Amino acid sequence: MRTPLVAGNWKMHKDHREAVELVRELDGLLAGLEGVEVAVCPPFTALSDVARALEDSGSPILLGAQDVYPAPEGAFTGEISPRMLRALGVRYVIVGHSERREIIGEKDELVAAKARAVLEEGMVPILCVGETLEEREEGKAVSKVRHQLEAALSAWTGDEVSTGLVIAYEPIWAIGTGRTATPEDAQEMNSFIRGWLAERYGQEVASEVRILYGGSVKPDNAGELMAMPDIDGALVGGASLKAGDFAAIARFRG
Ligand code: PGA
């Protein structure tokens, strides 16, 4: 059985003080929650303080980062290495988010290197894939996602995939737009992704990988999305900035 993962992507929101306030409030609201992994991905500047706050309260909330640079150390001005994240207790690292691909211009090759670097440091990449509205309307959604998977995972073994990877399907047209994919559309793509994994690594490996959905997930749609057989959790942007909303999403089972 795959344990669902609900991860909050705070994007470029919250300074380090606000971040600690938010995570404390969230921790209180999640008391007693079982059977769901919850992670928060604050900006780099808040990771250290959020890590300490989680440790002080013995919180089960896991720490995630929003990005990483794929080198152990060196002359990479402005970048953060996998080891620096690991040293703070980071477990998950978002890789290939569409905002980085579309706004910052990250290419598939860099995304692939980041995913490997995270794995090799003993953390788990949350690899984001998804199509634009234009690609969906032209019937190219599946081929786009297939291409992104092939580019990012060509060097991965079955063992690595089964224990060290989370995939998030995030249709770009649904991110921050209030326009959510229907549970059926999201299920269809997640099922395609699992089928792709099964073709390459076998059914057993494919059945172990958590495949999330992301894009305008809210308390009132989280339950029906995550009830789908191949949707194993959510990557939540906007709604993760409100402790009450995010906690309600994490309690999607009621
Ligand atoms: P959203 O963002 O929930 O605000 O649509 C999701 C994401 O970008 O991961």
Side-chain angles (χ1 to χ4, degrees):
M1 264 305 285
R2 302 181 291 269
T3 304
L5 169 64
V6 174
N9 173 10
W10 294 1
K11 308 192 179 183
M12 200 172 71
H13 296 283
K14 307 289 174 190
D15 68 26
H16 64 292
R17 292 186 199 89
E18 295 162 342
V20 166
E21 276 172 33
L22 176 56
V23 83
R24 287 211 176 110
E25 192 185 346
L26 181 63
D27 191 36
L29 294 173
L30 291 178
L33 178 66
E34 279 178 15
V36 180
E37 257 187 38
V38 177
V40 294
C41 308
F44 287 139
T45 50
L47 277 176
S48 177
D49 285 17
V50 169
R52 199 166 313 124
L54 292 175
E55 202 180 314
D56 287 351
S57 64
S59 171
I61 298 172
L62 296 163
L63 193 60
Q66 298 175 21
D67 190 28
V68 68
Y69 191 75
E73 62 180 1
F76 302 103
T77 301
E79 297 296 332
I80 303 287
S81 77
R83 194 178 63 81
M84 292 169 184
L85 297 179
R86 173 82 162 155
L88 288 173
V90 165
R91 169 132 185 85
Y92 294 107
V93 183
I94 298 170
V95 164
H97 190 280
S98 61
E99 283 150 18
R100 296 209 62 85
R101 293 183 193 256
E102 306 277 315
I103 302 171
I104 316 285
E106 277 186 20
K107 297 280 174 275
D108 286 332
E109 203 179 20
L110 182 58
V111 173
K114 288 182 175 189
R116 282 299 307 171
V118 170
L119 173 80
E120 281 161 17
E121 194 58 44
M123 300 176 292
V124 177
I126 299 177
L127 172 67
C128 299
V129 296
E131 80 286 358
T132 62
L133 185 56
E134 201 184 346
E135 286 161 342
R136 171 150 290 255
E137 284 170 350
E138 288 172 359
K140 294 181 182 154
V142 164
S143 61
K144 167 78 173 289
V145 168
R146 182 194 295 118
H147 171 81
Q148 289 177 322
L149 293 170
E150 279 165 2
L153 299 174
S154 61
W156 287 58
T157 66
D159 275 356
E160 290 168 344
V161 166
S162 67
T163 58
L165 177 69
V166 171
I167 296 173
Y169 168 53
E170 298 209 308
I172 296 170
W173 47 270
I175 295 178
T177 57
R179 188 176 162 189
T180 322
T182 63
E184 292 73 22
D185 283 347
Q187 163 60 24
E188 197 179 324
M189 187 63 87
N190 280 29
S191 158
F192 162 75
I193 294 170
R194 201 175 305 287
W196 183 90
L197 291 169
E199 253 173 50
R200 266 150 202 79
Y201 305 104
Q203 282 294 346
E204 203 179 320
V205 168
S207 71
E208 282 165 11
V209 178
R210 286 176 296 179
I211 307 173
L212 316 182
Y213 166 79
S216 299
V217 176
K218 303 273 179 305
D220 62 4
N221 60 26
E224 52 178 11
L225 285 160
M226 289 189 268
M228 290 289 159
D230 289 299
I231 302 182
D232 307 313
L235 184 54
V236 186
S240 72
L241 297 170
K242 292 190 191 124
D245 283 0
F246 189 59
I249 292 169
R251 293 187 182 281
F252 66 95
R253 289 198 180 106

